């Protein structure tokens, strides 16, 4: 059975917000053009794995700002989580086990949801 950890509320909150920021950033990247700067499309059919891209209008200033803000928040949260004083209470193999458990702390087993 996996070890359980009593994570402080602020650490749990920071990890949960980090998940949310990363999800927002991923969704933003998926809807943005493939190139930050305007760029012509291309078609590489002679490669072992052919690929093509349409013309890219580049990112609008508002999109660049949004990406920059989300990346800045992501870095701040990742720093908060990784440098939290809680980690000093663990040692040896409990440290990586605790870090992995924290990443999944927001997931509840089906038996706990009922």
């Amino acid at each position: 059975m996996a070890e359980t950890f009593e994570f402080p509320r602020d650490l749990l909150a920071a990890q949960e917000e980090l998940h949310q920021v990363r999800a927002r950033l991923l969704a933003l990247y998926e809807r943005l053009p493939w190139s930050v700067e305007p760029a012509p499309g291309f078609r590489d059919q002679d490669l072992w794995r052919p690929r093509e891209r349409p013309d890219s209008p580049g990112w609008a200033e508002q999109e660049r700002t949004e990406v920059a803000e989300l990346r800045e928040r992501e870095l701040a949260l990742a720093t908060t989580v990784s440098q939290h004083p809680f980690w000093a209470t663990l040692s040896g193999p409990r440290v990586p086990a605790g870090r992995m458990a924290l990443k999944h702390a927001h997931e509840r087993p089906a038996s706990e949801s009922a």
Side-chain angles (χ1 to χ4, degrees):
M1 184 173 183
E3 181 178 3
T4 57
F5 298 88
E6 291 296 323
F7 297 113
R9 288 183 192 262
D10 63 329
L11 179 57
L12 287 168
Q15 181 65 48
E16 179 59 30
E17 187 180 352
L18 180 58
H19 283 306
Q20 293 169 0
V21 167
R22 285 182 172 160
R24 287 177 50 205
L25 193 54
L26 180 60
L28 179 59
Y29 282 143
E30 287 177 354
R31 79 171 206 274
L32 289 174
W34 63 270
S35 176
V36 176
E37 300 293 332
F42 61 88
R43 186 179 190 141
D44 294 330
Q45 295 299 319
D46 297 332
L47 299 175
W48 68 274
R49 187 176 181 183
R51 63 189 176 134
E52 65 182 277
R53 297 266 193 251
D55 289 345
S56 173
W59 296 0
E61 193 58 40
Q62 180 243 343
E63 294 166 332
R64 292 175 192 231
T65 300
E66 188 175 357
V67 167
E69 288 171 355
L70 286 171
R71 290 183 68 186
E72 185 177 327
R73 185 65 184 147
E74 178 187 30
L75 178 60
L77 288 165
T79 301
T80 297
V81 168
S82 65
Q83 295 181 355
H84 194 279
F86 172 78
W87 303 118
T89 68
L90 304 179
S91 63
R94 292 187 71 220
V95 177
R99 290 185 187 273
M100 289 305 296
L102 178 64
K103 289 180 183 182
H104 300 282
H106 66 285
E107 300 169 358
R108 298 181 110 180
S111 59
E112 290 183 22
S113 309

